[in-house]
Amino acid sequence: MARLSYVIKFVADMDRAVAFYSETFGFAVKMTSPFWSEVDTGETVLALHPASAENPAGSCQLGFNLDDLRGFYEAGKVTFTAPPKEQHGTLLARMLDCEGAQVSLSG
């Protein structure tokens, strides 16, 4: 089973973005750093990440949590741009959706 667990919003100014989403909507700040911040929107986390040439400010990336990420990868039904790998204590991978957008996966 897959669940939409987070949306990554790429931002030009981390402090401004954290303040905007927490103050405008009253979301609790779960964590903040120059490289990754999270605000609690309920079931889905809004993750803020610095923008880059590959991910310009204002763009977003969906993140799904899968019960069996390795099995999903091995089934070979989608194109992976990064196979499952332990990072930051979590199994992470990236794939392309049907329109070529990057999708982040955790398991």
Side-chain angles (χ1 to χ4, degrees), residues 68-103:
D68 183 10
L69 176 52
R70 288 193 194 281
F72 184 77
Y73 174 74
E74 291 167 3
K77 294 181 180 181
V78 297
T79 301
F80 277 80
T81 59
K85 179 180 176 184
E86 287 287 334
Q87 296 178 27
H88 316 291
T90 303
L91 187 61
L92 299 174
R94 283 192 315 277
M95 57 165 269
L96 297 176
D97 74 5
C98 62
E99 297 182 342
Q102 289 275 346
V103 175

Side-chain angles (χ1 to χ4, degrees), residues 37-92:
S37 298
E38 296 181 356
V39 293
D40 186 357
T41 67
E43 289 186 33
T44 304
V45 170
L46 174 58
L48 305 171
H49 191 281
S52 66
E54 182 181 335
N55 298 296
S59 63
C60 296
Q61 185 178 107
L62 300 177
F64 292 94
N65 181 275
L66 285 81
D67 292 336
D68 183 10
L69 176 52
R70 288 193 194 281
F72 184 77
Y73 174 74
E74 291 167 3
K77 294 181 180 181
V78 297
T79 301
F80 277 80
T81 59
K85 179 180 176 184
E86 287 287 334
Q87 296 178 27
H88 316 291
T90 303
L91 187 61
L92 299 174

Side-chain angles (χ1 to χ4, degrees), residues 4-37:
L4 180 63
S5 55
Y6 54 95
V7 173
I8 302 169
K9 174 81 160 71
F10 296 97
V11 301
D13 183 320
M14 183 66 73
D15 292 336
R16 184 178 65 190
V18 169
F20 176 82
Y21 287 103
S22 64
E23 294 170 11
T24 302
F25 299 106
F27 295 142
V29 177
K30 292 179 68 174
M31 63 148 315
T32 186
S33 80
F35 310 106
W36 184 271
S37 298

